[in-house]
């Protein structure tokens, strides 16, 4: 029975998600005060596809040319280790660190993602996340701010302790810190865009790069930095993450318009109701569509499906949705091209298929 | 003309404050989006005594046995450098890093302090900070959350780039990350205490240790970790920071009751009005005083000086203010004892005098 590419990648994600989920207890134990740690773990435990840590684990597997799950991810052979496969990429770290806790690094990346979700939900005053109340609704705003702050420092704590050489460990910390700064810049741009209606598509893509894609970049390149592989390899993996991360966000924008509300877990078209600019609306504006008047209702709880249908129809007629899909496809192809630095192995193929999945997924 | 100890330490703080203030532009340049970076710098530029970075600079001076201001703080000799003084503490870092940017490390510590102030002010809904509107009042809550988050990652970014050896650099990152986690735990305890009236003095002191003192601990021990000196030296400096930091907070609680509102920059007795527990009120409760009824007005804008006077008189009669002062003095003596690991030089004497100043200062 041969699997399709999508079945393969879904299975790859599921297996790695289980691995990540199984390590949360260990990596983020409930300390004191308990309420703070419970709030910090709340969103992590509410679900999530774990796409970013999956990217981290796959990148490690490909670099070391390891048969998936043939080695402990907590004591993962570096490319220069004698456990690495015959096609492992050349590593430069031979001074004592031939085993790395890549699972911990992957969890640190997911924890950064959780921290940003918690703080973003406060800023956007979003009530729901992953089908459950947002942290500031389930607890309160103070607890949510602090839960995010705690996850922030916990991610840094975990990343200091992966077993990498001090040089590679410090470089990974630098990558994590600059990534977090960029995420803040991206979120600030996103907030600022709410009060502007003259945003250019390139500005939008820059915001998406900062807010969303850099964490995919960090997820993909972290194993290379931990292993100390040549900078052209870590940079190519970073670019893979950036391009596929941008495509991921564009697909999110498309899904917001095209997937039924039940399946989406929130009101379809909520971006339009909340006057949130996306690549789609920016294209429509350029086609002369009066985007601000597409949906008159300004409350997601009051909008009707018929209103959304009409708006989506107008955007489709202007070619805006197809244009965004095309843009996402282009970025995905570019992202896969960057992977040519990796050995030709299963993990690399899964990274390619994962990039495809990011723009073909239905939710 | 001989200076008193207080004049000496005030001058030492002033000179180092100027050094720190002069480096903010360089360490935290206004990036994009500008509004985010302006908001991030707003509290830093509104003032502050820079006590924590002063502690960092003094600890570096003492460890390397350097005549204050005889060396560039951006390229500061480690104890093992040939520029270090004859009494420099023995350093273990000889692998290439004999110059450290201790000013950058000091600024990173101050930036962490600023991040916590911004987020704490949101949680406490405090309107004023350092005599100007709090960031969430001057800007808005979203910008304030993001400004804090940006300072958070900037502090980590700066600390990756001090010129220390990778080993010592990574250890410093670990110290910074665990310190930030503890600060979050302390703030969470502080928030939780608001809804309890059965707090024990030891619980209060533990909260103060986490919320306030650990950053003094990190400030004092960071140079030792960057220099790679023996762990008993860095631990003694950490304990110096913890004990003097706890004394600092107790003095803050005393000042809230004893300094005229004009000088305090906020309503005297505001802790009592807001039912904020301190070591003083906890002692008073143990003496049978009905602390909850000491001030009946629950609005700092409505309370009268006479009401505060009566409350303070009752606390004085119960011996609670003197008891807190005594506790602060004990902690200060303990903090100074830890400094015996340092060479006997001017900088060490200033660290001792600074500990005294923390509990004798009038604001």
């Amino acid at each position: 029975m041969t699997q399709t590419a999508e079945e393969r990648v879904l299975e790859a994600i599921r297996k790695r998600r289980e691995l990540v989920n199984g390590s949360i207890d260990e990596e983020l134990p409930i300390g004191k005060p308990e309420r703070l740690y419970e709030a910090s773990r709340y969103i992590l435990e509410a679900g999530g596809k774990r796409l970013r840590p999956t990217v981290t684990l796959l990148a490690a597997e490909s670099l070391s040319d390891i048969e998936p799950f043939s080695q402990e991810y907590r004591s993962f052979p570096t490319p220069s280790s004698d456990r690495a496969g015959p096609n492992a990429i050349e590593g430069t770290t031979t001074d004592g660190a031939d085993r790395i806790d890549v699972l911990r690094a992957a969890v640190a990346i997911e924890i950064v993602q959780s921290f940003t979700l918690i703080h973003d939900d406060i800023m956007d005053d979003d009530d729901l996340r992953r089908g459950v109340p947002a942290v500031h609704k389930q607890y309160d705003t103070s607890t949510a701010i602090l839960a995010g702050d705690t996850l922030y420092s916990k991610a840094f704590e975990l990343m200091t302790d992966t077993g990498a050489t001090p040089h590679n460990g410090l470089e990974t910390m630098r990558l994590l810190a600059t990534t977090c700064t960029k995420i803040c810049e991206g979120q600030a741009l996103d907030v600022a865009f709410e009060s502007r209606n003259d945003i250019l598509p390139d500005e939008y893509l820059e915001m998406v790069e900062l807010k969303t894609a850099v964490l995919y970049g960090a997820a993909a390149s972290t194993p290379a930095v931990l292993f100390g592989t040549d900078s052209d390899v870590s940079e190519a993996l970073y670019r893979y993450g950036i391009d596929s991360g941008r495509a991921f966000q564009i697909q999110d924008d498309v899904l917001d318009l095209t997937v039924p509300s039940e399946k989406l877990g929130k009101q379809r078209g909520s971006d339009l109701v909340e006057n949130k600019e996306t690549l789609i609306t920016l294209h429509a504006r350029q086609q002369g569509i009066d985007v601000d008047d597409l949906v008159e209702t300004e409350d997601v709880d009051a909008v009707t499906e018929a209103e959304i249908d009409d708006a989506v129809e107008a955007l489709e007629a202007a070619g805006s949705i197809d244009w965004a899909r095309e843009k996402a496809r282009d970025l995905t192809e570019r992202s896969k091209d960057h992977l040519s630095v990796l050995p030709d192995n299963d993990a690399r193929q899964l990274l390619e298929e994962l990039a495809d999945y990011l723009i073909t997924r239905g939710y």
Side-chain angles (χ1 to χ4, degrees), chain A:
Chain A
M1 223 173 64
T2 30
Q3 288 179 305
T4 65
E6 177 159 312
E7 285 165 352
R8 256 172 61 93
V9 76
L10 283 176
E11 189 189 340
I13 295 169
R14 180 182 56 71
K15 281 183 166 178
R16 286 163 187 79
R17 179 170 60 234
E18 282 167 11
L19 199 62
V20 168
N21 288 349
S23 70
I24 303 278
D25 269 356
E26 248 173 293
E27 296 303 314
L28 203 62
I30 298 285
K32 282 191 176 170
E34 282 182 20
R35 186 180 152 89
L36 174 66
Y37 281 95
E38 283 164 7
S40 302
R41 289 230 315 227
Y42 175 75
I43 281 297
L44 276 161
E45 287 171 348
K49 295 192 247 348
R50 314 298 190 217
L51 294 172
R52 297 160 191 80
T54 293
V55 166
T56 302
L57 296 176
L58 287 173
E61 291 163 26
S62 182
L63 288 164
S64 293
D65 196 40
I66 291 298
E67 181 71 25
F69 299 96
S70 67
Q71 297 280 328
E72 279 289 332
Y73 287 87
R74 287 215 176 272
S75 173
F76 202 79
T78 61
S80 55
S81 150
D82 57 11
R83 307 282 180 109
N87 301 313
I89 207 150
E90 208 171 302
T92 53
T93 173
T94 47
D95 49 341
D98 67 347
R99 293 281 173 160
I100 304 277
D101 190 342
V102 294
L103 180 56
R104 175 166 291 164
V107 171
I109 296 284
E110 183 70 8
I111 285 177
V112 168
Q113 166 68 1
S114 299
F115 133 64
T116 64
L117 294 180
I118 294 173
H119 281 191
D120 286 4
D121 284 345
I122 303 172
M123 293 179 224
D124 300 340
D125 200 20
D126 280 334
D127 293 354
L128 287 177
R129 170 69 68 176
R130 294 176 175 166
V132 297
V135 178
H136 66 288
K137 296 288 175 187
Q138 178 71 12
Y139 295 83
D140 52 69
T141 300
S142 293
T143 305
I145 292 174
L146 270 177
D149 291 345
T150 304
L151 290 174
Y152 211 149
S153 52
K154 278 288 170 186
F156 280 94
E157 273 189 59
L158 292 176
M159 208 60 111
T160 58
D161 203 18
T162 61
T165 65
H167 175 271
N168 298 337
L170 193 60
E171 286 306 312
T172 312
M173 298 299 282
R174 194 193 311 271
L175 171 63
L176 192 65
T178 55
T179 298
C180 289
T181 301
K182 286 176 185 167
I183 294 170
C184 293
E185 291 173 349
Q187 171 68 4
L189 283 174
D190 197 19
V191 172
F193 283 2
E194 281 172 25
S195 53
R196 281 181 53 192
N197 59 4
D198 60 345
I199 301 152
L200 301 171
D202 278 351
E203 281 183 287
Y204 178 80
L205 284 171
E206 195 206 335
M207 181 276 285
V208 165
E209 171 161 341
L210 292 168
K211 179 173 169 163
T212 304
V214 292
L215 191 56
Y216 275 97
S221 59
T222 285
V225 181
L226 285 172
F227 294 165
T229 49
D230 288 344
S231 62
D232 55 339
V233 174
S234 56
E235 276 163 29
L237 279 162
Y238 187 77
R239 294 311 314 172
Y240 161 79
I242 292 286
D243 286 333
S244 56
R246 295 202 291 179
F248 167 87
Q249 183 59 53
I250 296 171
Q251 176 69 4
D252 248 21
D253 299 341
V254 170
L255 292 176
D256 183 71
L257 296 173
T258 56
V259 173
S261 301
E262 318 86 73
K263 203 173 164 192
L264 208 56
K266 58 172 186 175
Q267 174 61 52
R268 180 173 64 107
S270 60
D271 288 349
L272 286 177
V273 181
E274 291 164 355
N275 295 313
K276 212 163 169 337
E277 218 71 68
T278 67
L279 207 55
I280 299 158
T281 58
L282 294 174
H283 178 271
R285 282 182 196 280
Q286 291 185 329
Q287 306 307 305
I289 305 268
D290 187 354
V291 171
D292 300 322
D293 282 349
L294 272 179
V295 177
E296 282 187 21
T297 310
E298 293 199 348
D299 180 355
V300 280
D301 297 327
V303 77
T304 64
E305 288 293 325
E307 257 187 299
I308 303 288
D309 282 341
D310 289 348
V312 171
E313 210 168 286
L315 292 169
E316 261 169 2
S320 302
I321 298 180
D322 281 343
W323 182 79
R325 284 197 171 109
E326 183 61 32
K327 198 92 189 170
R329 270 194 296 274
D330 285 350
L331 286 166
T332 300
E333 289 311 310
R334 271 171 53 179
S335 81
K336 293 192 285 187
D337 288 345
H338 297 301
L339 295 179
S340 61
V341 294
L342 292 177
D344 186 7
N345 49 29
D346 281 359
R348 167 174 152 185
Q349 198 186 326
L350 282 167
L351 282 171
E352 289 174 11
E353 289 167 5
L354 190 139
D356 286 329
Y357 167 72
L358 291 182
I359 61 162
T360 54
R361 70 201 162 96
Y363 65 99

